[in-house]
């Protein structure tokens, strides 16, 4: 049976450690492709265009939207974020599990368009730890920290729409847990409809040959 790639959306509160978790997952396992999002926000220190994000102007972003070149897009904290379509489709066809690291608004749009998408929500062990991680970045103003905590409060109301939550307390165990969830998702009946149909046909033909 040919292994088909799964489209995976990973969301989580800003500061929950999604980026670090994705980096560890990619380093540990070789069957994943991490989609690079396009954004209109300014790069943080150490970020490179084409690696963490494709950094573009708002004009260029909206042009991409008009050309239907994005799987989804959303506005978050005053900036646009979106997922380029071509790269994702190419990797799925090659059998890679493609991970989109996007916020909840975009995640639900992807699920609506692609119902077999696996939705994972990364959470910190507590709200206090979330605030600690945001302050630990050293890149956020008090105003931005307040905005991100308010946003987390709003996002907490939509977690039930996800298939699984992953609590990012220990990086090693969290990475292993996420990989196990994705592996198991490959064997759900809805993602193997073609294989199940083939088995049914073979059973029916076998019964006919045996005269049953």
């Amino acid at each position: 049976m040919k292994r088909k790639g799964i489209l995976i959306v990973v969301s989580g509160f800003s500061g929950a450690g999604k980026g670090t978790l994705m980096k560890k997952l990619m380093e540990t396992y070789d069957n994943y492709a991490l989609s690079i999002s396009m954004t209109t926000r300014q790069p943080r220190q150490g970020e490179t265009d084409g690696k963490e994000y494709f950094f573009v102007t708002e004009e260029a972003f909206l042009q991409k939207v008009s050309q239907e070149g994005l799987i989804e897009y959303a506005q978050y904290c005053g900036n646009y974020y979106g997922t380029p379509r071509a790269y994702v489709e190419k990797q799925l066809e090659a059998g890679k599990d493609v991970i989109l690291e996007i916020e909840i608004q975009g995640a639900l749009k992807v699920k609506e368009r692609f119902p077999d998408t696996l939705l994972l929500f990364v959470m910190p062990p507590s709200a206090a730890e979330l605030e600690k991680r945001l302050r630990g970045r050293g890149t956020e103003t008090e105003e931005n920290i307040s905005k991100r905590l308010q946003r987390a409060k709003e996002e907490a109301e939509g977690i039930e729409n996800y298939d699984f939550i992953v609590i990012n307390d220990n990086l090693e165990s969290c990475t292993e847990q996420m990989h196990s969830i994705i592996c198991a998702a490959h064997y759900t009946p809805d993602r193997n409809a073609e294989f199940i149909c083939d088995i049914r046909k073979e059973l029916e033909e076998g019964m006919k040959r045996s005269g049953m």
Side-chain angles (χ1 to χ4, degrees):
M1 182 177 66
K2 182 181 178 182
R3 183 184 188 276
K4 294 182 179 180
I6 290 179
L7 186 59
I8 305 150
V9 171
V10 176
S11 305
F13 307 134
S14 179
K18 299 185 300 297
T20 303
L21 181 57
M22 292 302 96
K23 183 179 178 181
K24 183 66 175 177
L25 192 72
M26 299 294 290
E27 289 174 349
T28 308
Y29 306 100
D30 61 4
N31 59 301
Y32 296 110
L34 184 61
S35 176
I36 302 173
S37 294
M38 182 179 291
T39 183
T40 59
R41 80 158 170 78
Q42 293 298 308
R44 295 192 184 113
Q45 185 177 358
E47 290 183 331
T48 306
D49 181 52
K51 186 178 180 182
E52 285 81 14
Y53 287 92
F54 293 114
F55 296 99
V56 298
T57 64
E58 184 170 321
E59 182 182 1
F61 189 96
L62 294 177
Q63 183 178 14
K64 202 73 172 177
V65 172
S66 68
Q67 295 169 345
E68 296 189 357
L70 302 175
I71 287 179
E72 58 74 37
Y73 70 96
Q75 195 171 22
Y76 175 67
C77 291
N79 293 298
Y80 284 105
Y81 294 80
T83 303
R85 176 188 294 273
Y87 174 83
V88 171
E89 292 180 343
K90 181 179 178 181
Q91 295 300 318
L92 287 173
E93 289 172 8
K96 289 279 189 178
D97 293 330
V98 181
I99 298 176
L100 312 183
E101 186 188 329
I102 54 180
E103 48 69 60
I104 193 168
Q105 186 181 350
L108 297 181
K109 287 182 181 179
V110 174
K111 185 73 170 181
E112 185 178 333
R113 294 186 66 182
F114 306 96
D116 62 345
T117 300
L118 178 65
L119 299 186
L120 306 178
F121 198 93
V122 179
M123 302 181 69
S126 67
E129 177 63 23
L130 178 65
E131 184 174 353
K132 179 182 175 182
R133 291 178 186 179
L134 284 172
R135 295 187 181 283
R137 283 178 173 177
T139 60
E140 307 287 350
T141 64
E142 283 297 320
E143 183 181 0
N144 280 341
I145 289 173
S146 179
K147 283 183 179 179
R148 293 184 186 280
L149 289 174
Q150 176 60 35
R151 178 67 173 178
K153 180 182 176 183
E154 294 167 2
E155 289 178 331
E157 300 300 321
I159 297 173
E160 291 85 355
N161 292 301
Y162 283 70
D163 297 306
F164 294 92
I165 62 168
V166 181
I167 299 174
N168 190 12
D169 191 3
N170 177 277
L171 181 60
E172 297 288 340
S173 61
C174 186
T175 302
E176 185 177 341
Q177 180 187 23
M178 181 172 283
H179 177 65
S180 297
I181 290 171
I182 296 169
C183 287
H186 271 279
Y187 298 98
T188 58
D190 59 314
R191 293 188 178 91
N192 291 275
E194 186 178 342
F195 173 68
I196 293 169
C197 184
D198 288 343
I199 291 292
R200 285 173 175 161
K201 287 180 180 178
E202 290 172 11
L203 288 169
E204 186 176 344
E205 290 170 359
M207 292 180 68
K208 286 179 180 178
R209 286 195 299 270
S210 63
M212 295 178 67

